[in-house]
């Protein structure tokens, strides 16, 4: 039998070696700059083997950070519809995820990100490249405003998660989801598409 010199064969440790190399690369370089070829080289495997195990760079990233959801499957339902109601749909979908079994993994990830810089970097890359980028490209707003608008919306969503699911502040923690959609959705919508007087130059 022949093989590529210096390459790790497809054994049970290969997948974990790829994931370890991916976590290091994504945390150090970010999602966009980290390449499949470089990750494969660090793991000692052929790039084709990375695609064999994970299919795509996006899927590898989600696996590397143990993401509780795949935004590529969740967000189309949020983005399809009246653009002036996207804030409500985003909050509704967000709450549905965190109220599901996946929410437990999300809480663990958030706790780790607060205390570990490495996890914080991965979570930041996840929010920017997998969530906000997909949402912002559907908005009818000045492209120069989009990064800040997305970040402001994230403060609303992040604060909701922290207070409802981590700190469990009452009565927020036990408030019905649709009540929160009604209360918070318009604020998220304003950050995404509404007027923000004094924030952006005329």
């Amino acid at each position: 039998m022949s093989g590529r010199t210096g390459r790790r064969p497809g054994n049970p440790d290969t997948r974990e070696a790829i994931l370890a190399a991916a976590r290091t690369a994504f945390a150090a370089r970010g999602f966009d700059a980290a390449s499949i070829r470089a990750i494969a080289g660090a793991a000692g495997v052929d790039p084709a083997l990375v695609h064999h195990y994970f299919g795509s760079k996006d899927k590898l990233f989600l696996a590397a950070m143990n993401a509780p959801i795949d935004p590529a499957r969740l967000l189309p339902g949020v983005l399809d519809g009246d653009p002036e109601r996207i804030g409500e749909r985003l909050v509704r979908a967000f709450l549905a995820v965190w109220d599901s079994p996946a929410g437990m993994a999300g809480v663990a990830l958030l706790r780790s990100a607060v205390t570990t810089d490495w996890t914080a970097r991965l979570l930041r890359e996840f929010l920017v490249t997998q969530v906000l980028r997909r949402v912002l490209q559907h908005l009818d707003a000045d492209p120069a405003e989009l990064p800040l608008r997305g970040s402001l919306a994230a403060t609303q969503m992040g604060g909701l998660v922290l207070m409802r699911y981590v700190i469990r502040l009452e009565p927020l923690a036990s408030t019905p989801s649709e009540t929160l959609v009604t209360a918070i959705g318009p604020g998220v919508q304003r950050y995404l598409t509404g007027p923000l007087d004094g924030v952006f130059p005329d």
Side-chain angles (χ1 to χ4, degrees), residues 124-202:
R124 182 169 58 247
E125 285 296 308
F126 173 77
L127 291 173
V128 170
T129 67
Q130 306 299 308
V131 180
L132 292 177
R133 181 179 293 175
R134 288 186 166 99
V135 172
L136 296 177
Q137 67 184 6
H138 283 78
L139 301 182
D140 183 17
D142 185 342
E145 299 178 0
L146 290 179
L148 182 56
R149 285 185 177 275
S151 296
L152 291 171
T155 66
Q156 191 81 32
M157 307 295 281
L160 172 60
V161 167
L162 183 64
M163 291 299 153
R164 180 173 170 89
Y165 300 101
V166 179
I167 296 178
R168 301 193 63 78
L169 178 68
E170 291 290 1
L172 179 69
S174 57
T175 297
S177 294
E178 279 303 308
T179 301
L180 296 178
V181 170
T182 301
I184 298 173
V188 174
Q189 186 71 44
R190 174 175 170 268
Y191 284 139
L192 292 176
T193 63
L196 298 174
D197 296 338
V199 176
F200 301 109
D202 296 331

Side-chain angles (χ1 to χ4, degrees), residues 64-93:
M65 67 171 298
N66 196 26
I69 60 166
D70 182 353
R73 301 182 64 178
L74 176 71
L75 290 177
V78 172
L79 300 172
D80 183 24
D82 183 356
E84 293 304 314
R85 305 292 293 275
I86 191 173
E88 293 181 12
R89 295 195 299 275
L90 187 59
V91 173
R92 183 177 292 111

Side-chain angles (χ1 to χ4, degrees), residues 65-69 94-95 97-116 119 123 126 157-158 160-168:
M65 67 171 298
N66 196 26
I69 60 166
F94 201 69
L95 289 170
V97 169
W98 285 88
D99 286 336
S100 74
M104 295 294 292
V107 168
L109 182 62
L110 183 60
R111 290 182 186 276
S112 180
V114 170
T115 59
T116 308
T119 309
L123 182 58
F126 173 77
M157 307 295 281
L160 172 60
V161 167
L162 183 64
M163 291 299 153
R164 180 173 170 89
Y165 300 101
V166 179
I167 296 178
R168 301 193 63 78

